[in-house]
Amino acid sequence: MSYTPPITEQRFVLDTVTRIDELAATERFAAASSDMVDAILEGAGGFACGEWGPLNWVGDQHKAEWTDGNVIMPPGFKAAYKAYVEGGWGSLDGPEAFGGQGLPFALATVVLEDLGTANMAFTLCPMLTVGAIEAIMTHGSDEQRALYLPKLVTGGWTGTMNLTESQAGSDVGALRTTATPQADGSYLIKGQKIYITFGEHDLADNIIHLVLARTPGAPAGTKGISLFLVPKIRPDGSRNDVRCVSIEHKLGIHASPTCVLAFGDEDDCTGHLIGPEMGGMRAMFTMMNNARLNVGLQGVEVGERATQAAIAYASQRIQSARAGGPGTVPVAIIEHPDVRRMLMRMKALTQAARALLYYAAGQVDRTHLGIEGAKARLDILTPLAKSYGSDAGCEIASLGVQIHGGMGFVEETGAAQHYRDIRIAPIYEGTNGIQAADLVGRKLSSDGGAGFATLISDMRAEAQDGALIALIDAVEQVGAYMREAPVDDRLAGSSAFLTMTSVAVCGWLFERQMRIAARETSAFHKAKVAVGAYYLAHLVPEALGLAASAEAGASGLYVLSAEEMAA
Ligand SMILES: Cc1cc2nc3c(=O)[nH]c(=O)nc-3n(C[C@H](O)[C@H](O)[C@H](O)COP(=O)(O)OP(=O)(O)OC[C@H]3O[C@@H](n4cnc5c(N)ncnc54)[C@H](O)[C@@H]3O)c2cc1C
C-alpha cells in the first residue's frame, strides 16, 4: 500500500507549467532557487511518504474518537504531527515577519500534495490552518496578527473554518449564529456549527476557529455576515466556551474529525471581529479561495496514489490468457487493452489535474507580485481547479477499484479507501454545482469577461493540436452563449461548460509539457509525451461532445414535477 513520491513529475510541472524560475527571479521569491526547490521536493516527499504515509490505513481503521468533548486522534498521529511542525513543513509560504519562510505558494502546494498523497484525512488539518493564516494576514488587525500568526505559521496551533449550520450549507446566508458586542470590544458568540473539520483534536495546544456570525440588526442573507476569531484557549490562558458535542461517522477520511461545535452554551464564548462588521463573506472568501485550490489538489493526491497502486496490481495479477487472444500463455492483466485504457486514463487525469493546480498556484504567487492579468486568470481558474481536480480524483479512484476487480471492493488493498476518502472533495468547500454556478454567474463576466478572454487568448497562442483547437473554439462559443442565456439555461449547462473549459486548459498545458518532453529521451519524458497524447486523443474529443449538452440549457429538466420524478 506504499507509493513513490512523484518528484520528477512535480519538478517538471513546476518548471514547465508554473514556471517557477520566473518566480525565483523576483526579489520576493529569490529564495526559491533551483537547489532549494529540489531540496524541498526531496525532503517533503520523503517525510510525507515515510512518516504520514503509514498512518493512512491506521487512521482509516482506528478513526478519530470523541469522548466527553475531547477528540483523540488515532495512534501515531500526535508524534507525526509534532515531526511535521519541527520539520518546518507548515511554514514554507507563511509570512516571514511571523516565522514563515516566505516561499511561493506554488511550492507549498507541492508540499501539501505530498502530505495529502500520504494521508488525505490528516492533511486537512494543515490545509485549514493555512487558510486561517491567509484570512488573518489579509483581514486581521496588527494586534491579531502578532497574537495568533506566529503559532499558526509554525503549526503549533491549528485553524478551522466555521460556516456550516444545519440549515445553512450551500445557502450560507441562512446562518443564525449570533455575535453580540461587549463593552471591551469583544463579542459574545452563540450558536452551533456542524461539519467542522478538525474542530477539536489533541494534536496542538490551541485551536483558532474562524466563525461566521451575525451582529444584532444585521440584514438577512450574506450581506449581514461578519467573521470572528474564536480561540479554544483565550490569550489569558482560560478555556473559551466552545465545545465539541459530537463527531460524524462517515464514508471516508476517518482520521479527520468532523465536529459539531457548540459556541456559547454557557454564554461565555469570546470572539473577536476580523475585518469590518458585515465584511465576513469577503474575509471568508480569502480563506475559501485558498481552500478551494487545495481541495482540487486532493484529487491529484489521491489520484497519484490510486494510480500507482493500480499499475502495481495490474502488473502482478496474472491470468491464464488474454481475453479473445490466441494462446494460453499466462499474462498480467496490464496486457489487456481495456486495463491499459483505464490505467492511461488514470495517469492522464492525474497529470492533467496536477498541471491545472500548479498553474493556478503560480497565478496566486503572480497575484501577490502584482503581475498584470494574474488575478483575472486566478479568478476563473479557481472553480475549474476545485471541480475538475476533485471530479478527476473520484473518477481515478473509481477506476482504481475497477482495476483491482473484487480485491478493489474488499478493504485490504487500500483501493476502496482511496474511493471512500476522495468522495467528499466534490462536496465540501462549495459543492461542484456551486462552483459551476460561480463560473457562469460571476467569473465569466466579472471585469467585463477579462479573465475568460485572457485564458482563451493564452490557450490560442500555444495550441496546435486540431482537436484541442476545436475545443477552445467550442469553449469560446459556449462562453458567449452562457453570457446571454436566461439564468436557468445557463445554470443547467454550467457543469458541462466547466468540464469543457477545464479540459481545454489541461489539454493546452499538456501540449506545452509534451513539446518540452519530446526533446529528451528518458523514460519519464517518453511517458509524458504518451500520456499527453492520450489526453489529447481521448479526453479532449470527449469534452468537445459536451458542447451540445452545455447549450441545451434547461430543456427537458422541468418536464416532470417533483412528484412525477418520484413516480
Ligand atoms: C466531511 C465534511 C467536512 C466538512 N468541513 C467543513 C468545515 O470545515 N467547515 C464548514 O463550514 N463546513 C464544512 N463542511 C460542510 C460542507 O462545506 C457542506 O456540506 C457543503 O457546503 C454542502 O452543504 P450541505 O451539506 O448543506 O448541502 P446542500 O447545500 O443541501 O446541497 C445539497 C445538494 O444540492 C445542491 N445545491 C444546493 N444549493 C444549490 C444551488 N443554489 N445551486 C445548485 N445546486 C445547489 C448542492 O450542489 C448539492 O448537490 C464539511 C462537510 C463534510 C461532509
Side-chain angles (χ1 to χ4, degrees):
M1 270 197 246
S2 191
Y3 69 96
T4 307
I7 295 171
T8 311
E9 154 83 359
Q10 290 172 326
R11 178 72 216 232
F12 185 78
V13 183
L14 276 178
D15 286 342
T16 58
V17 171
T18 315
R19 292 182 169 152
I20 187 99
D21 58 323
E22 290 177 5
L23 297 176
T26 64
E27 200 185 327
R28 176 167 177 163
F29 296 127
S33 65
S34 189
D35 289 350
M36 175 62 103
V37 172
D38 279 341
I40 288 174
L41 296 194
E42 288 281 343
F47 169 78
C49 183
E51 303 259 346
W52 283 29
L55 298 177
N56 197 42
W57 176 247
V58 176
D60 187 60
Q61 297 303 299
H62 286 262
K63 307 180 179 165
E65 271 179 35
W66 182 91
T67 39
D68 198 20
N70 297 313
V71 171
I72 296 143
M73 291 296 290
F77 276 62
K78 218 169 161 170
Y81 187 75
K82 192 161 172 266
Y84 158 83
V85 173
E86 287 171 357
W89 294 115
S91 62
L92 282 191
D93 67 331
E96 284 170 288
F98 299 104
Q101 301 171 51
L103 287 161
F105 176 78
L107 263 184
T109 297
V110 182
V111 173
L112 202 69
E113 178 196 333
D114 282 327
L115 293 169
T117 304
N119 198 321
M120 174 181 156
F122 200 177
T123 304
L124 280 159
C125 183
M127 191 181 119
L128 284 154
T129 304
V130 166
I133 292 168
E134 181 91 1
I136 296 171
M137 189 65 206
T138 315
H139 303 284
S141 65
D142 287 346
E143 194 192 344
Q144 287 167 338
R145 288 190 199 140
L147 202 51
Y148 296 103
L149 285 181
K151 291 284 196 174
L152 286 168
V153 166
T154 59
W157 294 353
T158 68
T160 69
M161 179 160 89
N162 294 249
L163 290 84
T164 308
E165 299 176 12
S166 55
Q167 78 294 347
S170 303
D171 185 14
V172 66
L175 66 85
R176 293 189 198 127
T177 296
T178 57
T180 312
Q182 303 298 293
D184 65 356
S186 69
Y187 289 76
L188 267 191
I189 309 294
K190 199 167 177 61
Q192 192 176 77
K193 297 285 178 181
I194 64 167
Y195 297 150
I196 305 308
T197 298
F198 277 90
E200 180 56 59
H201 58 78
D202 58 359
L203 299 175
D205 298 337
N206 203 355
I207 304 175
I208 307 304
H209 304 289
L210 294 192
V211 183
L212 288 183
R214 285 180 189 291
T215 45
T222 50
K223 281 199 193 93
I225 294 175
S226 307
L227 181 64
F228 296 88
L229 185 156
V230 180
K232 172 179 164 183
I233 308 294
R234 288 182 275 230
D236 66 4
S238 62
R239 181 75 160 79
N240 208 352
D241 179 16
V242 44
R243 308 252 175 257
C244 174
V245 293
S246 65
I247 62 174
E248 306 295 345
H249 302 282
K250 48 197 198 298
L251 180 68
I253 53 166
H254 290 157
S256 168
T258 306
C259 304
V260 178
L261 291 185
F263 294 87
D265 272 3
E266 290 159 25
D267 293 324
D268 186 27
C269 180
T270 313
H272 305 278
L273 184 65
I274 297 192
E277 210 177 313
M278 322 240 198
M281 284 312 286
R282 209 177 137 248
M284 201 51 135
F285 262 113
T286 305
M287 192 166 176
M288 283 200 295
N289 281 333
N290 183 323
R292 282 178 176 177
L293 294 185
N294 290 335
V295 169
L297 188 69
Q298 293 182 321
V300 181
E301 297 161 5
V302 174
E304 179 66 41
R305 195 159 173 167
T307 303
Q308 288 196 24
I311 295 169
Y313 184 80
S315 303
Q316 54 82 28
R317 167 85 172 149
I318 306 296
Q319 290 194 337
S320 60
R322 199 171 131 167
T328 51
V329 184
V331 289
I333 58 168
I334 198 167
E335 296 307 330
H336 297 305
D338 191 55
V339 174
R340 290 228 160 201
R341 170 190 68 80
M342 291 191 277
L343 290 172
M344 286 301 276
R345 196 171 173 96
M346 291 172 84
K347 277 183 83 73
L349 283 168
T350 305
Q351 292 185 18
R354 181 180 286 113
L356 177 59
L357 263 302
Y358 283 23
Y359 182 67
Q363 299 306 319
V364 172
D365 290 316
R366 286 172 174 82
T367 301
H368 287 151
L369 289 166
I371 292 176
E372 202 189 329
K375 172 81 170 59
R377 287 187 182 94
L378 180 62
D379 279 353
I380 200 126
L381 287 167
T382 300
L384 306 185
K386 194 277 173 178
S387 293
Y388 190 68
S390 59
D391 280 344
C394 289
E395 186 181 344
I396 299 161
S398 177
L399 288 168
V401 171
Q402 192 70 16
I403 285 175
H404 282 78
M407 286 301 287
F409 198 70
V410 298
E411 290 286 353
E412 66 218 57
T413 59
Q417 187 189 348
H418 299 145
Y419 187 55
R420 290 186 286 100
D421 282 352
I422 196 60
R423 188 60 189 85
I424 183 62
I427 298 172
Y428 56 20
E429 282 311 322
T431 64
N432 285 4
I434 296 292
Q435 302 301 321
D438 179 44
L439 175 66
V440 302
R442 289 198 309 131
K443 301 291 169 64
L444 196 56
S445 33
S446 64
D447 244 353
F452 187 65
T454 308
L455 196 63
I456 294 282
S457 78
D458 288 347
M459 292 193 284
R460 286 208 186 286
E462 274 186 277
Q464 291 174 6
D465 177 83
L468 180 61
I469 291 169
L471 179 60
I472 297 167
D473 289 344
V475 167
E476 192 170 19
Q477 179 198 311
V478 178
Y481 160 83
M482 286 289 168
R483 268 193 228 103
E484 303 299 325
V487 67
D488 271 5
D489 289 325
R490 199 188 311 159
L491 289 170
S494 60
S495 283
F497 176 61
L498 183 147
T499 304
M500 292 172 66
T501 313
S502 305
V503 175
V505 174
C506 293
W508 159 57
L509 296 174
F510 246 134
E511 256 203 341
R512 185 195 292 173
Q513 295 176 73
M514 289 162 71
R515 270 195 297 278
I516 297 165
R519 297 179 205 142
E520 309 287 337
T521 53
S522 75
F524 167 79
H525 293 101
K526 182 181 171 198
K528 175 59 80 179
V529 174
V531 172
Y534 182 87
Y535 193 85
L536 293 174
H538 294 267
L539 283 291
V540 167
E542 218 173 86
L544 190 54
L546 290 172
S549 165
E551 286 189 340
S555 72
L557 293 187
Y558 290 92
V559 175
L560 300 178
S561 67
E563 293 76 27
E564 284 167 337
M565 266 206 199

